[in-house]
Amino acid sequence: LKSPIENLKVVDKHAVESADQVLTNSKNIREKIEDVYGMKAQIIYPPVQMEKIINSKKVNKKNYYLTIGRLYDYKKIELIVQAFAELNKELVVIGDGPQRGYLEKIAGPKTTLPGFVDEEVKIKFLQEARGFIFAAEEDFGIVMVEALAAGTPVIAYDKGGAKEIVRDNYNGVLFAGQTSSDIIEAVKKF
């Protein structure tokens, strides 16, 4: 007898093999689909409202770094907050979630957590930031594209969608490991 998971794997593989076409949101996931299913997937990148960002009122850059995301462990925002506490540099963390209280406790004196903000405020923060920090491994990573559209370089973990969005030493800096030390070195390099 097969386990329920094994049965689901068989059903899943059969369903995918019977599809006329497989679509995905990034090269990163296309490679995983090819590894698991042996099929080629067509990439359709997620929609990003770049025109809204590009056409918004321009603002001057300020001396803070920014990260945006749901405040969950897998987003690795804790690593960013720890790194900036050690660097003693300004950091703005936009988002909300179960880790918020913990992040507020470990944040350095130059870190602010304004919570959830509306789209216009988010765009202003993206435009003003000196750099955008992203430490998670995402399928794609829409907010990195939004940061670049706002004219803000991205410092990101060199896995997943970041590899498709950020060109090291061109529109940002990529770092190899998911530790606060790796982030510190990337910010210094930036």
Side-chain angles (χ1 to χ4, degrees):
L1 285 172
K2 291 184 179 183
S3 72
I5 294 293
E6 291 300 316
N7 288 331
L8 285 174
K9 286 180 180 180
V10 170
V11 170
D12 179 60
K13 189 159 176 73
H14 177 70
V16 172
E17 288 172 345
S18 67
D20 293 330
Q21 190 169 22
V22 178
L23 305 175
T24 186
N25 67 346
S26 65
K27 290 178 187 174
N28 171 41
I29 299 303
R30 180 177 65 188
E31 290 170 5
K32 290 179 181 182
I33 289 168
E34 193 166 339
D35 286 347
V36 172
Y37 299 106
M39 299 179 74
K40 299 265 188 212
Q42 179 183 349
I43 298 171
I44 299 177
Y45 287 110
V48 180
Q49 294 183 356
M50 291 177 54
E51 294 81 16
K52 185 175 186 177
I53 297 168
I54 292 167
N55 295 328
S56 63
K57 181 182 175 195
K58 302 302 177 219
V59 297
N60 293 327
K61 288 287 185 193
K62 295 192 176 175
N63 200 31
Y64 66 82
Y65 293 81
L66 175 69
T67 191
I68 300 173
R70 292 184 182 103
L71 305 184
Y72 286 89
D73 184 52
Y74 76 94
K75 292 289 191 173
K76 305 295 183 190
I77 292 173
E78 172 186 4
L79 300 175
I80 299 168
V81 170
Q82 289 170 339
F84 276 79
E86 189 171 327
L87 285 165
N88 197 30
K89 290 186 179 289
E90 288 183 51
L91 174 68
V92 176
V93 179
I94 293 177
D96 213 346
Q99 262 201 328
R100 183 177 178 146
Y102 171 67
L103 295 174
E104 288 173 336
K105 286 179 187 171
I106 66 166
K110 293 184 176 181
T111 295
T112 57
L113 290 96
F116 177 80
V117 299
D118 68 30
E119 192 68 16
E120 286 183 30
V121 173
K122 179 180 91 170
I123 290 170
K124 185 174 185 260
F125 273 111
L126 284 166
Q127 290 174 323
E128 288 179 343
R130 180 172 183 198
F132 181 81
I133 315 290
F134 197 83
E137 179 178 349
E138 290 284 348
D139 296 349
F140 183 67
I142 291 173
V143 73
M144 289 184 282
V145 176
E146 292 174 330
L148 293 173
T152 300
V154 176
I155 302 167
Y157 178 48
D158 191 14
K159 295 280 186 194
K163 293 175 76 157
E164 295 174 58
I165 297 165
V166 181
R167 287 179 43 203
D168 197 32
N169 296 317
Y170 178 75
N171 60 0
V173 172
L174 295 169
F175 54 91
Q178 282 181 309
T179 69
S180 59
S181 297
D182 289 308
I183 294 168
I184 290 167
E185 290 309 309
V187 171
K188 287 178 180 177
K189 179 181 175 185
F190 174 78

